[in-house]
Amino acid sequence: MTDYDLPAAPHERTPLLIRRCLAYACACLREAREEFGDDQVKAYVSLSFADTEEGLLTSNVTFCTPLPDVRPYIVDLERVTDAAVVEVSVEDCFPGSGRWFGCSSAGCAGGEAAGV
């Protein structure tokens, strides 16, 4: 998500972009649990500078399910150096999780995540 509607300055752009992406990731993870009973899906939210002329901060959200005998999406998350990356599970999307990336029902539509 490059999200051209956000300010270009990194110090203004970063919190808005991250909140939007975490709100999106949590909404999808909760829906996977509610609709399909799948609580193993993980979301990976990354933040880095786009390889474009503007060089804006951009974020990607990738979803995957860990499977036996299959390499993880990111083998060693702590060793990623070219982007900021967080792995989010559905448990992270509820109050009291210790890492709550959820949002209020009114805030989800606008990308306002709580606890960020």
Side-chain angles (χ1 to χ4, degrees), residues 21-45 61-66 86-94 99 101-102:
C21 290
L22 289 173
Y24 169 70
C26 282
C28 292
L29 291 170
R30 285 191 302 268
E31 190 71 15
R33 175 186 267 177
E34 292 168 16
E35 287 294 316
F36 307 110
D38 190 345
D39 60 357
Q40 298 301 308
V41 177
K42 306 285 185 204
Y44 292 87
V45 179
V61 181
T62 302
F63 297 93
C64 63
T65 300
V86 64
E87 178 185 82
V88 182
S89 68
V90 71
E91 288 81 20
D92 296 323
C93 299
F94 292 96
R99 273 183 66 181
F101 295 135

Side-chain angles (χ1 to χ4, degrees), residues 23-111:
Y24 169 70
C26 282
C28 292
L29 291 170
R30 285 191 302 268
E31 190 71 15
R33 175 186 267 177
E34 292 168 16
E35 287 294 316
F36 307 110
D38 190 345
D39 60 357
Q40 298 301 308
V41 177
K42 306 285 185 204
Y44 292 87
V45 179
S46 64
L47 179 70
S48 61
F49 287 99
D51 189 18
T52 62
E53 189 173 305
E54 300 91 1
L56 294 173
L57 275 171
T58 188
S59 187
N60 291 291
V61 181
T62 302
F63 297 93
C64 63
T65 300
L67 299 172
D69 302 323
V70 176
R71 277 175 39 117
Y73 174 66
I74 299 178
V75 176
D76 189 355
L77 191 62
E78 299 298 320
R79 298 192 77 168
V80 175
T81 59
D82 58 346
V85 183
V86 64
E87 178 185 82
V88 182
S89 68
V90 71
E91 288 81 20
D92 296 323
C93 299
F94 292 96
S97 71
R99 273 183 66 181
W100 185 37
F101 295 135
C103 53
S104 67
S105 58
C108 283

